[in-house]
Amino acid sequence: MSDSDKSIFYRSSGLICGTYLPSEDDLAQGVLMTDEGLFPATVSQELLRFLTRNPKKKTIKRKHHFICWVHGLPEAPYYQLYLIGRKGKKKLPELFSENNTFLSQGIVTERSSDKVILRVQKNPRPNRNSQEIEDSINHLQIKDCPGKVRTSQFWSIRSRLKEGFLHYQSGELLAKAQVAKSYLKIL
């Protein structure tokens, strides 16, 4: 990969405030209740230890600012959240300067008048084989994208959850279609 292509990597992460409600069967699987709706959620083992460390589990019943990965679903609620960390009273990371902020990078696979579908996946790394990368592919639905966002281009899109959907806030074209196509061949 050339130096100019180093900014082209897949990402699908965010910061959202909510209360995690575990399922009765598995504490790591549940739902995140937010002001923007209910979303299926999975909790990392490290975060699960934090949430269940109190014997009365008061921490699991409180709202937290969760750092998460976002996975697209083909039908409602359209997003699944993988909660990987939390931010307490400390300063929020620069990448997510405010609550309900998401940053997604990927290839635009579909465009209509009301939404864009962004293909995201795991990035290639020495410990990831092509099958693992292929299995990680998912598609995020993002509403209110401007007309300059075109199919086959690689975009970085900042969005917010509103009424149960990610809505475009700002974006940057990282690669036109020809470069994005050649990058896919590298994988």
Side-chain angles (χ1 to χ4, degrees):
M1 187 181 330
S2 70
D3 287 340
S4 63
D5 293 335
K6 286 186 180 174
S7 65
I8 299 177
F9 61 92
Y10 293 94
R11 174 185 299 196
S12 174
S13 53
L15 176 72
I16 186 76
C17 186
T19 304
Y20 176 67
L21 307 170
S23 72
E24 291 180 16
D25 301 339
D26 185 356
L27 287 176
Q29 301 288 326
V31 173
L32 187 67
M33 184 172 58
T34 73
D35 290 342
E36 303 305 324
L38 296 173
F39 299 95
T42 303
V43 178
S44 70
Q45 288 302 313
E46 182 179 313
L47 185 57
L48 189 59
R49 280 191 292 276
F50 164 77
L51 291 173
T52 59
R53 149 172 77 185
N54 185 319
K56 294 184 181 178
K57 295 186 176 87
K58 290 180 182 176
T59 55
I60 214 163
K61 296 177 183 176
R62 288 183 30 221
K63 276 189 174 183
H64 297 277
H65 285 94
F66 291 105
I67 304 271
C68 62
W69 291 332
V70 184
H71 186 89
L73 299 173
E75 51 194 43
Y78 301 107
Y79 312 101
Q80 179 172 357
L81 305 176
Y82 182 62
L83 310 177
I84 58 172
R86 74 170 195 93
K87 287 294 165 190
K89 296 179 181 178
K90 299 176 187 174
K91 182 180 172 189
L92 296 175
E94 188 175 314
L95 188 60
F96 306 115
S97 56
E98 58 184 291
N99 180 43
N100 193 7
T101 303
F102 297 86
L103 184 60
S104 305
Q105 289 182 188
I107 294 177
V108 177
T109 60
E110 189 181 318
R111 163 135 196 111
S112 67
S113 60
D114 67 327
K115 67 182 176 188
V116 159
I117 304 296
L118 192 68
R119 172 189 159 152
V120 294
Q121 66 189 49
K122 286 186 177 178
N123 293 303
R125 290 194 182 145
N127 61 340
R128 292 186 181 143
N129 61 38
S130 59
Q131 186 61 48
E132 184 179 3
I133 293 169
E134 184 74 24
D135 291 345
S136 74
I137 294 172
N138 68 94
H139 297 85
L140 293 178
Q141 187 176 145
I142 303 174
K143 300 233 177 205
D144 303 326
C145 288
K148 65 183 179 180
V149 178
R150 305 256 186 230
T151 58
S152 301
Q153 296 177 335
F154 203 101
W155 275 82
S156 176
I157 297 175
R158 187 170 290 276
S159 58
R160 295 180 63 76
L161 266 174
K162 180 179 161 190
E163 299 170 352
F165 290 98
L166 289 173
H167 288 263
Y168 180 95
Q169 296 286 292
S170 63
E172 178 184 5
L173 173 64
L174 298 179
K176 293 186 177 180
Q178 194 65 359
V179 174
K181 186 177 180 181
S182 67
Y183 176 69
L184 280 176
K185 290 179 183 176
I186 293 171
L187 299 178

